[in-house]
Amino acid sequence: MSSLTDLSISQLVLGYQAKDFSPIEVTKAYFDRIEKYNENLNAFVYIDREGGLASAKLAEDKYNKGDFKPLLGVPLAHKDLYCTKGLPSTAGSKVLENNIPDVDATSVERLSQSGAINLGKLNTHEFAYGPTNENSLFGSCLNPWNYKCFSGGSSGGSGSAVAARLCAGATGSDTGGSIRIPSACCGISGLKPTYGRVSRAGIYPLCWTMDHSGPMARSVEDLALMLKAMSGVDKFDSASSSLEVGNYAETLRADISGIVLGIPNRYFFDQAQPDIENSVREAIEVLKSLGATVIDIDIEHIEHAAGAALAIYLSEGTAYHDNGFENNQDLYSDQVRGFLELGNFVLAKDYINAQRFRTLLGEEMARLFEQVDYFITPGLALTAQQVGQENINIRGIEQSVFSAILRNTEPFNLTGVPALVVPCGFSSEGLPHSMQIIGRPFDEAGILNIGHIFQSVTSWHIKLPSEVNE
Amino acid sequence: MTKKRDDISDKAISVIASQIANIKIKENELTVRAEVMENLTESIAALRNLPLKDVEPAIIFRPILSEKRAENE
């Protein structure tokens, strides 16, 4: 039998039911790994050993009584941007250093109701306002494939902890790519669902109209199980959708022959690191060998996505933090304080133009989705970089790491369509590459189906990171 | 045609921050902030040249029902 911490969520649940091992044994195995590796990774910022073991005992009692739930006894952890009742919830900022909420975020509550165990809280870029997780009250979160590199962010603790087998799955949030970026940097699977699919209630906002909540796990099958538990209408989130929640785990194995994949070469491929482009094109060949048809597409106006996203999150972020900023500004890190200051300079007409651009881009994507079923792109244009590195040259173009890393993900926050990243290769330095699969609004089942079929014939997603492989 | 605007200066950043946002930016940070803002402003201002004439913003106003009434409907 493989190590308990290598098992997938579905394997854990089946093993508990068969009494091959117990929730207490598995939870202790995870705490042992946290003790061994967290000091180097800095993924967990609060470890709830007492609460985790108490929940494991309750789960064990329920299994003994035959009282099953979909995630009963599965050890997860939550991004520190999520409110957790009675546990520190700092958003990675000194501003909330002593904050202990008296309610859970809706997703935390729903995962608990499905039987999941909470092992603790995970590092995040301060207030989720940055894509590297270098900047947090607790210090940088590091990458289990190379301790010199960042984990990606803002849900960096989630990406690092899941990849290093410090928890079976984790929650994340994604405003410009904050689920998909650390998933891609750390070589795990991450899903940004459709805007409105998963409640944002109880998660500290970065930007109301672009914030998404979603699951991060090692396999697509695990994402499907977590998504089902997290999804559904929520009266505390005015944007949440009342559309029926799918049975995502049941539709994972559908035949993908006949599906049409659109490949937007311009913008997404032609400015990615060449070895990333190669890995993603090889992954596309795998999908073709399974019966998918591939056609080239072009997303008109895509080059303006970064400008529109900037106008929106600078404006909304500054509006959210405005109350009390005057008195608290020294509590923010220099980087986040700088962004919050800059938000004061965006003109109202530019913010409105950016929101109009979202309509334009959404209409363009809808038009393309009449010709193809899904888009495929590289998850990111670059691999994880060394902590502190500010600029990067990709194909002769010098750019900031921040803008390069957001390039491929943030267009889909603007249009709110679902997007999944799955690992699909490695650089010569041993850092993960990933493929992004984008679908029509609320077609989470479709993109999870493609991701799962890909993972059923490849093994990129089960490789153990080199720094935590003793 | 709109006149090409001047680049954002340290002074402009300082004045707008203090008078509009009521925040004081440290003297030694003004130049960096002005440079960053100039780059960001360029990419944001480029949106004005897009074909947005008949396009409504993605945020649509929704009248709000009281919670009690919403539950009844």
Side-chain angles (χ1 to χ4, degrees):
Chain A
M1 191 175 74
S2 54
S3 162
L4 292 176
T5 53
D6 283 336
L7 299 175
S8 70
I9 289 176
S10 56
Q11 285 171 324
L12 284 177
V13 172
L14 287 173
Y16 293 151
Q17 288 174 346
K19 300 207 184 308
D20 293 337
F21 42 78
S22 73
I24 291 179
E25 286 175 283
V26 172
T27 302
K28 282 183 174 171
Y30 274 114
F31 281 129
D32 286 348
R33 269 187 86 77
I34 292 169
E35 194 160 314
K36 188 170 181 183
Y37 292 113
N38 193 56
E39 194 176 343
N40 285 329
L41 291 168
N42 202 21
F44 272 83
V45 296
Y46 179 79
I47 301 163
D48 188 16
R49 180 175 273 274
E50 194 181 327
L53 289 172
S55 298
K57 173 75 172 65
L58 281 176
E60 199 152 313
D61 292 345
K62 285 188 174 167
Y63 275 109
N64 288 334
K65 288 180 194 160
D67 181 10
F68 300 146
K69 288 180 177 180
L71 299 174
L72 186 58
V74 175
L76 304 179
H78 299 294
K79 182 177 184 178
D80 204 27
L81 202 67
Y82 283 61
C83 288
T84 43
K85 186 178 178 181
L87 299 179
S89 303
T90 71
S93 179
K94 204 164 177 52
V95 175
L96 294 177
E97 192 172 11
N98 301 311
N99 178 46
I100 299 183
D102 53 10
V103 290
D104 279 329
T106 297
S107 288
V108 171
E109 187 183 13
R110 286 179 174 172
L111 287 165
S112 296
Q113 284 169 353
S114 294
I117 293 167
N118 178 17
L119 301 182
K121 302 300 290 292
L122 297 164
N123 209 341
T124 170
H125 204 106
E126 184 179 14
F127 280 111
Y129 215 162
T132 58
N133 211 147
E134 291 166 285
N135 186 5
S136 153
L137 168 65
F138 304 97
S140 301
C141 182
L142 301 180
N143 194 307
W145 293 95
N146 184 335
Y147 286 153
K148 289 181 183 161
C149 294
F150 55 64
S151 58
S154 62
S155 314
S158 307
S160 180
V162 170
R165 276 70 165 161
L166 308 190
C167 55
T171 51
S173 67
D174 191 316
T175 304
S178 288
I179 286 173
R180 292 160 289 158
I181 291 166
S183 297
C185 286
C186 295
I188 64 166
S189 308
L191 173 69
K192 180 197 81 64
T194 310
Y195 188 75
R197 178 70 300 171
V198 176
S199 171
R200 302 161 302 153
I203 305 169
Y204 289 102
L206 167 55
C207 168
W208 298 282
T209 66
M210 287 170 66
D211 288 343
H212 298 64
S213 163
M216 300 165 69
R218 292 195 291 271
S219 72
V220 170
E221 184 175 24
D222 288 354
L223 292 180
L225 292 166
M226 287 180 68
L227 179 65
K228 165 90 174 158
M230 294 168 77
S231 296
V233 69
D234 178 12
K235 69 176 181 179
F236 297 112
D237 179 353
S238 60
S240 78
S241 168
S242 56
L243 277 180
E244 194 181 344
V245 176
N247 237 327
Y248 305 110
E250 287 180 9
T251 50
L252 287 174
R253 290 164 187 80
D255 183 3
I256 63 164
S257 60
I259 60 164
V260 182
L261 305 175
I263 313 296
N265 293 301
R266 186 176 68 88
Y267 182 89
F268 292 98
F269 283 81
D270 65 9
Q271 290 189 43
Q273 289 175 328
D275 59 342
I276 290 183
E277 177 177 8
N278 292 341
S279 290
V280 178
R281 294 209 184 276
E282 282 172 23
I284 291 169
E285 288 303 311
V286 172
L287 296 175
K288 277 169 78 175
S289 73
L290 296 165
T293 303
V294 170
I295 62 171
D296 290 341
I297 57 170
D298 186 71
I299 305 176
E300 198 177 356
H301 307 305
I302 192 75
E303 65 277 13
H304 292 286
L310 259 175
I312 294 166
Y313 58 68
L314 284 177
S315 304
E316 294 189 20
T318 297
Y320 173 71
H321 286 274
D322 207 36
N323 186 19
F325 180 72
E326 197 183 326
N327 301 323
N328 278 341
Q329 54 179 306
D330 289 339
L331 298 180
Y332 292 88
S333 66
D334 286 349
Q335 177 248 309
V336 170
R337 186 163 44 81
F339 281 4
L340 294 175
E341 287 166 357
L342 294 175
N344 292 300
F345 298 87
V346 180
L347 300 179
K349 68 177 180 178
D350 286 327
Y351 174 78
I352 295 295
N353 277 341
Q355 294 290 5
R356 294 165 88 191
F357 173 76
R358 295 176 80 169
T359 305
L360 192 73
L361 189 64
E363 285 171 351
E364 171 66 358
M365 288 189 190
R367 181 185 71 77
L368 290 165
F369 276 129
E370 288 175 6
Q371 300 165 32
V372 302
D373 297 309
Y374 305 97
F375 306 157
I376 303 283
T377 75
L380 303 180
L382 69 172
T383 57
Q385 301 295 302
Q386 293 207 2
V387 173
Q389 183 179 327
E390 291 186 357
N391 295 305
I392 185 167
N393 189 305
I394 302 177
R395 301 193 196 223
I397 299 173
E398 188 74 12
Q399 52 202 298
S400 73
V401 167
F402 267 36
S403 64
I405 209 165
L406 288 160
R407 178 179 189 84
N408 286 11
T409 51
E410 67 187 357
F412 309 108
N413 293 81
L414 287 169
T415 57
V417 294
L420 166 73
V421 294
V422 291
C424 70
F426 287 90
S427 69
S428 55
E429 295 84 26
L431 291 164
H433 293 164
S434 77
M435 167 170 68
Q436 182 171 223
I437 307 163
I438 302 104
R440 299 182 180 100
F442 296 100
D443 189 14
E444 280 78 10
I447 59 174
L448 291 169
N449 174 210
I450 296 174
H452 177 72
I453 294 291
F454 178 74
Q455 291 188 335
S456 68
V457 297
T458 58
S459 59
W460 305 113
H461 65 293
I462 56 175
K463 296 192 185 301
L464 186 60
S466 41
E467 298 277 23
V468 293
N469 191 9
E470 285 171 17
Chain B
M1 192 159 148
T2 318
K3 179 179 168 283
K4 166 79 177 83
R5 63 172 175 77
D6 294 333
D7 282 358
I8 295 170
S9 65
D10 296 11
K11 192 180 171 197
I13 291 274
S14 173
V15 168
I16 296 172
S18 63
Q19 293 189 0
I20 295 183
N22 202 22
I23 53 175
K24 189 163 172 52
I25 299 178
K26 291 169 192 150
E27 196 92 349
N28 59 352
E29 291 178 358
L30 284 174
T31 306
V32 176
R33 297 276 189 274
E35 277 174 19
V36 173
M37 196 59 214
E38 177 57 33
N39 291 334
L40 302 187
T41 301
E42 262 182 41
S43 67
I44 292 170
L47 298 170
R48 298 176 198 164
N49 301 323
L50 287 169
L52 296 174
K53 185 169 175 285
D54 298 317
V55 180
E56 280 198 25
I59 298 177
I60 304 296
F61 170 72
R62 281 174 302 190
I64 297 169
L65 287 172
S66 72
E67 202 169 302
K68 201 170 176 184
R69 185 170 285 257
E71 277 171 12
N72 291 337
E73 289 195 355

